[in-house]
Amino acid sequence: MHKRYYLIGLAGLMILIVGYHFYAASQAEQQLDEAIQKQAQQHGNISAQYSSIDVTPFAADITVNDWTVIFNNHIQRANRLSFDISYLDVLNIYFGGLKYGLKNLTELNLSAIRPSYTISSGIQEVKSDTLTLSYQGNALDLIQQLTDSTNRSTNHNIKATFSGFTTVLPGNSRSSIKARHMQYQASIPPDRPLSLFNIAHQISAQNIVWSPTSSQQQKYSFIIKGLGYPTDTIPFKSFNISTSPTKKSRLKAINWILQSELALISSSGFLQTYRPIGNSAFQDTRITITDLSPSFQKTLENIETLFSFSLPKTKKGIQIPLQGTIADPSISLDN
């Protein structure tokens, strides 16, 4: 008889625990919904829309469906956003409120289905089929840096992996870059203003296709066709770039490597940063071209003959100084 009562009591306790977790998940969904709408109302030029917020009992996973945020001319969308945080983090939000929960949130994993970011005024878009992102730092600290540009004391590290990545470059003439896989890493140092120029960036991409603008296709048609490519589809095997701040506040070190079937192209040097970023100027930067394929070697020889100049060659390969700005780069062919 006592055993029977014990089993009934245990079953009742299990039902109570399960019921509590479902109730807590429901309350967390409501709190998140209210917090998002409150933040949007406090900033009148922000609109946040979604079809539902789901918090999984026990697992503490948060899923937002049909996510759209509009801030002035900036639009963020995703079919689904999933946040993977610890159960303790969910309890912190539930019992202490959103601000307390974010203050104690130091690790976060996010996945997204068909995320996109669009700047409508400049006709610029970044999107992908999938995104997985991991974050380490302090969530509240990062949000406050983003909203009020105040220096904070936390180091933030972000790693994002994309599949089916596409970026449409700004301008009226559509130019796009696509990559089957891309990875991005960023380290945001403490006690410095949050700026694109103060962040150490690393980007790597594989299986890339560049679609130039129509004017670029017409201007360089004879070169592109001479390399055996359609003018609107230029493939590359991989691309890697890293940038890092220097002791001089506006001077950034920049290094990149571009691998194609034709050659290995690399560059190292510095970038004197200005706003807008297109006005940033190259300093002590040199492009090096090595591992030329026979067809590319022949094309370069034809170009040298046609335009009556010689590319500066060294034992390390063809080396060309890069000058000008990001928006208007130029090269020097003086030996």
Side-chain angles (χ1 to χ4, degrees):
M1 181 66 69
H2 291 291
K3 184 176 181 181
R4 180 182 177 185
Y5 287 141
Y6 173 77
L7 292 175
I8 293 174
L10 181 61
L13 179 62
M14 292 298 296
I15 292 172
L16 183 63
I17 292 173
V18 171
Y20 168 76
H21 279 86
F22 275 91
Y23 173 76
S26 176
Q27 289 295 103
E29 292 171 1
Q30 183 178 346
Q31 285 188 354
L32 288 169
D33 179 55
E34 292 174 353
I36 292 172
Q37 296 305 323
K38 182 179 179 180
Q39 289 296 316
Q41 290 173 3
Q42 289 178 351
H43 302 81
N45 53 351
I46 297 179
S47 170
Q49 303 170 10
Y50 40 87
S51 62
S52 64
I53 298 178
D54 301 317
V55 178
T56 306
F58 300 101
D61 293 334
I62 301 171
T63 301
V64 183
N65 296 300
D66 304 314
W67 172 259
T68 300
V69 173
I70 301 174
F71 175 62
N72 294 331
N73 61 339
H74 299 253
I75 305 171
Q76 301 175 27
R77 290 191 176 96
N79 288 5
R80 186 173 72 228
L81 287 175
S82 298
F83 300 88
D84 181 10
I85 60 178
S86 71
Y87 196 72
L88 177 60
D89 291 323
V90 173
L91 292 179
N92 284 335
I93 295 174
Y94 176 68
F95 288 109
L98 183 62
K99 184 175 181 179
Y100 177 81
L102 291 174
K103 184 178 180 180
N104 291 276
L105 180 61
T106 58
E107 292 187 8
L108 171 68
N109 293 310
L110 176 148
S111 61
I113 303 297
R114 303 195 69 81
S116 67
Y117 173 73
T118 305
I119 303 176
S120 56
S121 61
I123 320 177
Q124 183 176 1
E125 183 179 30
V126 177
K127 60 183 180 180
S128 66
D129 294 335
T130 64
L131 161 67
T132 58
L133 181 146
S134 62
Y135 166 77
Q136 292 181 328
N138 182 286
L140 181 63
D141 188 274
L142 178 61
I143 291 172
Q144 290 175 333
Q145 277 189 288
L146 290 170
T147 55
D148 60 22
S149 301
T150 304
N151 292 358
R152 304 290 173 176
S153 58
T154 305
N155 187 75
H156 307 280
N157 292 290
I158 299 170
K159 181 178 179 180
T161 302
F162 303 84
S163 67
F165 176 85
T166 300
T167 178
V168 178
L169 303 178
N172 294 325
S173 299
R174 307 286 277 181
S175 174
S176 67
I177 298 174
K178 298 181 180 180
R180 183 175 298 176
H181 301 288
M182 193 185 84
Q183 188 175 91
Y184 170 77
Q185 296 184 66
S187 178
I188 305 173
D191 300 323
R192 298 188 69 174
L194 183 59
S195 164
L196 184 67
F197 303 130
N198 287 331
I199 301 174
H201 305 270
Q202 287 187 336
I203 300 174
S204 62
Q206 295 79 40
N207 299 312
I208 307 159
V209 174
W210 173 41
S211 297
T213 64
S214 56
S215 61
Q216 290 171 331
Q217 293 177 37
Q218 294 175 2
K219 185 176 181 179
Y220 301 107
S221 174
F222 75 101
I223 297 178
I224 299 172
K225 289 181 178 179
L227 297 173
Y229 296 133
T231 57
D232 62 346
T233 306
I234 303 175
F236 299 95
K237 290 182 178 180
S238 63
F239 177 68
N240 295 275
I241 184 171
S242 64
T243 68
S244 58
T246 65
K247 293 182 179 180
K248 296 182 179 180
S249 62
R250 304 194 69 87
L251 190 67
K252 311 304 171 190
I254 180 168
N255 300 276
W256 56 263
I257 299 175
L258 179 65
Q259 175 72 62
S260 75
E261 295 177 348
L262 303 176
L264 178 67
I265 306 173
S266 61
S267 175
S268 62
F270 298 91
L271 191 67
Q272 186 68 33
T273 56
Y274 300 102
R275 294 186 183 277
I277 191 172
N279 292 337
S280 299
F282 295 106
Q283 288 190 5
D284 300 324
T285 302
R286 187 175 297 273
I287 296 174
T288 301
I289 306 174
T290 59
D291 301 337
L292 279 67
S293 68
S295 62
F296 190 45
Q297 179 73 52
K298 184 65 175 178
T299 299
L300 291 180
E301 291 173 356
N302 291 337
I303 292 174
E304 287 179 310
T305 301
L306 181 63
F307 293 100
S308 301
F309 71 87
S310 296
L311 291 168
K313 301 178 180 68
T314 69
K315 292 181 179 179
K316 296 181 179 180
I318 299 172
Q319 292 195 328
I320 306 172
L322 179 62
Q323 302 169 345
T325 65
I326 291 178
D328 186 23
S330 62
I331 58 175
S332 173
L333 297 178
D334 296 332
N335 288 299

